[in-house]
Amino acid sequence: MAEAKPSIAHPADARAAAPFGLLAPGVWLMRRLRLGGKFGLLAVVTGVVLAAAAFAPAVTTAPGWVGTLLATGVCLIGYLMLSFRASFLADFEMIMAVMQKTTQGDLRMRASVGGRDELASMAALLDRMVLTLSAMVADIRSNAALVAHAGRSLAAGNRDLADRTEQQAANLEQTAASVEQLSSTVQQNAQTAQAADVRAGQVRQAAQGGADAMHRAVASVEAIQQGAKRMGEIIGVIDGIAFQTNILALNAAVEAARAGE
């Protein structure tokens, strides 16, 4: 497991260790050590006591000091083991209580575990997990409220749709009546159209006669245009003869003038 970041002792840690009485300093120390550090501390103290018990007779002639040293070492080992047991059980029971409340649906519990050991890290992870679950539950409740609101809006929309459908049915009945009237009107219009078709045939025949008369008129106009063209040619010939006559008259006048001289 990754080492937790060191933190400064907080007054809450002291309040958490207060119920332990004489074990409070040891509990505070055990909560500051990881599991390996705790066992290492117990092993070091035990080794020192055993070494002191083994080498004390060789360096001193007072057996009373040896007994006092051994008793102090044994007391220290027992104190540390009791502190370790008390801190572990208290923190573990706190975590178990929070987990039990969480499984029952109570997301308000928090694991107030001080220190920097594995149980403190587990308690911090548990708190974050509970907070995440609480946020998820809040989101689910919010989404459920939105769904309920959307359902109510959908129901209101369905009622409005039913009202509009009834109105459309009434409008369709009125439309059917109007269609019947329109059908009778169409039949009358069909009869009128047949009469108009007869009249149109008569008009078409009259128009055909007018067209024939127009063709004849066009043919007459073309004949007139051809006659006018011939008249134009005759007029041109007459103009040429007149021009030559004028020239001859002019020559005759010139010759008469010469003859007079």
Side-chain angles (χ1 to χ4, degrees):
M1 183 181 292
E3 291 292 329
K5 294 182 180 179
S7 60
I8 301 174
H10 195 272
D13 301 335
R15 289 196 300 270
F20 297 103
L22 294 176
L23 295 178
V27 170
W28 182 89
L29 177 62
M30 287 298 172
R31 285 178 172 173
R32 292 301 177 279
L33 297 175
R34 307 291 287 182
L35 188 60
K38 295 174 184 180
F39 286 115
L41 177 62
L42 291 174
V44 168
V45 174
T46 302
V48 170
V49 172
L50 293 177
F55 292 103
V59 296
T60 181
T61 57
W65 287 100
V66 176
T68 302
L69 180 61
L70 290 176
T72 301
V74 171
C75 290
L76 181 59
I77 294 172
Y79 180 80
L80 292 176
M81 292 182 67
L82 289 175
S83 300
F84 172 70
R85 179 180 181 277
S87 64
F88 180 83
L89 289 179
D91 295 343
F92 187 76
E93 289 176 357
M94 173 64 71
I95 293 174
M96 288 296 295
V98 173
M99 293 178 68
Q100 184 176 3
K101 289 292 184 180
T102 303
T103 56
Q104 294 174 356
D106 187 0
L107 301 179
R108 296 173 298 177
M109 295 293 293
R110 295 293 180 271
S112 301
V113 176
R116 295 193 296 270
D117 58 355
E118 288 82 359
L119 290 178
S121 300
M122 184 183 297
L125 291 174
L126 180 60
D127 287 341
R128 287 198 293 270
M129 183 186 72
V130 172
L131 289 175
T132 303
L133 288 176
S134 179
M136 292 174 62
V137 170
D139 291 339
I140 292 173
R141 288 179 177 176
S142 177
N143 293 331
L146 291 176
V147 170
H149 178 70
R152 289 192 295 270
S153 300
L154 182 60
N158 289 333
R159 288 194 296 269
D160 293 339
L161 180 60
D163 295 338
R164 290 195 297 270
T165 302
E166 293 178 357
Q167 184 65 33
Q168 290 295 332
N171 294 334
L172 286 176
E173 291 179 357
Q174 295 178 358
T175 303
S178 300
V179 167
E180 291 179 357
Q181 295 178 357
L182 181 61
S183 177
S184 61
T185 304
V186 168
Q187 291 178 357
Q188 294 176 359
N189 291 335
Q191 295 175 357
T192 305
Q194 290 178 356
D197 186 40
V198 174
R199 294 180 181 177
Q202 296 173 357
V203 172
R204 184 169 55 253
Q205 292 177 358
Q208 185 66 34
D212 294 339
M214 181 63 68
H215 286 305
R216 290 193 296 271
V218 169
S220 299
V221 170
E222 288 179 352
I224 292 171
Q225 287 179 350
Q226 290 178 359
K229 184 177 181 182
R230 292 194 193 96
M231 292 178 65
E233 291 176 354
I234 294 170
I235 292 171
V237 173
I238 294 172
D239 288 337
I241 294 171
F243 179 74
Q244 291 178 1
T245 302
N246 290 330
I247 292 175
L248 292 173
L250 181 60
N251 290 330
V254 172
E255 291 295 331
R258 289 179 179 174
E261 291 178 358

